[in-house]
Amino acid sequence: MVVLNKIYTRTGDKGETALGDGSRVAKHSARVDAYGTVDETNATIGLARLHAEGDIDAALARIQNDLFDLGADLCRPHRDKDDEAEYPPLRMNDAQVDRLEAEIDAMNKALEPLRSFILPGGSALAAYLHLTRTVSRRAERLTTELATVEDVNPAAIKYLNRLSDWCFVAARVANDDGKSDVLWVPGANR
């Protein structure tokens, strides 16, 4: 259980922060950038939820919790003896990825195939889901960049990849099952 009695600690005043294993790194390190952008993704979901109801709101609540799991995974570097640690690290798993895929498939059944790219917009919920989609793509890029220099849980990368797809399909659902999507018209303003 997490207990936060005091919010400021002054331990980051010199540009460093502690990772989940207690090691200290620069606040601009690739790892901090990756999990910080996961946190930003979570914040954009909070905005989307202001406009969500029912199944989409419930799914977004689950995703927000998953993103805290993902941040916990990324903030604790992989070590050979993770399983032997006093407090084993929380790691993303394929079941979380599978759930997103099942939800994408279920939402996509009601949608007509796309004949053009979609401009981010339509309803307020769709616009915020598109914002979440783009921020989660950035989190994915930063996480895959981190994976080129440090070990990263593959399920974390898969989850971010599926999340952006989930947001795209959910945005179409939020736009009256795609009927209110704003379509790109190539060269329309030449």
Side-chain angles (χ1 to χ4, degrees):
M1 173 150 186
V2 175
V3 178
L4 301 172
N5 291 330
K6 192 170 184 178
I7 300 304
Y8 66 90
T9 62
R10 297 186 178 135
T11 59
D13 290 350
K14 294 185 179 174
E16 289 189 343
T17 192
L19 296 179
D21 65 355
S23 62
R24 296 197 62 81
V25 297
K27 288 187 176 192
H28 60 271
S29 74
R31 184 168 295 281
V32 175
D33 211 8
Y35 72 72
T37 307
V38 168
D39 188 36
E40 186 180 348
T41 303
N42 206 335
T44 64
I45 291 174
L47 291 171
R49 289 190 68 200
L50 293 173
H51 305 280
E53 300 174 339
D55 290 343
I56 291 214
D57 187 49
L60 288 170
R62 286 191 304 272
I63 290 167
Q64 282 191 299
N65 201 80
D66 283 351
L67 288 175
F68 260 81
D69 291 353
L70 181 53
D73 187 330
L74 290 174
C75 88
R76 188 154 174 190
H78 285 241
R79 303 284 187 245
D80 288 338
K81 299 188 181 221
D82 273 353
D83 293 337
E84 299 170 18
E86 182 179 356
Y87 300 102
L90 180 60
R91 300 291 183 211
M92 296 297 288
N93 63 51
D94 286 332
Q96 290 166 295
V97 176
D98 294 344
R99 189 195 74 241
L100 285 182
E101 288 178 357
E103 290 175 358
I104 291 167
D105 292 343
M107 288 186 292
N108 208 34
K109 282 182 182 176
L111 303 175
E112 292 292 323
L114 283 171
R115 306 270 184 248
S116 176
F117 288 103
I118 295 174
L119 300 178
S123 70
L125 176 57
Y128 280 116
L129 288 168
H130 281 294
L131 176 62
T132 299
R133 174 184 58 79
T134 63
V135 177
S136 69
R137 282 284 188 214
R138 180 162 31 95
E140 179 188 12
R141 289 190 304 272
L142 291 169
T143 303
T144 59
E145 181 180 14
L146 172 64
T148 66
V149 294
E150 295 186 45
D151 287 338
V152 172
N153 177 2
I157 295 170
K158 286 187 223 175
Y159 188 90
L160 286 167
N161 182 271
R162 296 315 180 282
L163 177 58
S164 58
D165 296 335
W166 189 98
C167 290
F168 179 81
V169 174
R172 295 200 66 211
V173 170
N175 275 339
D176 193 25
D177 288 334
K179 294 176 191 75
S180 300
D181 282 338
V182 181
L183 300 179
W184 173 48
V185 179
N189 300 311
R190 289 184 175 177

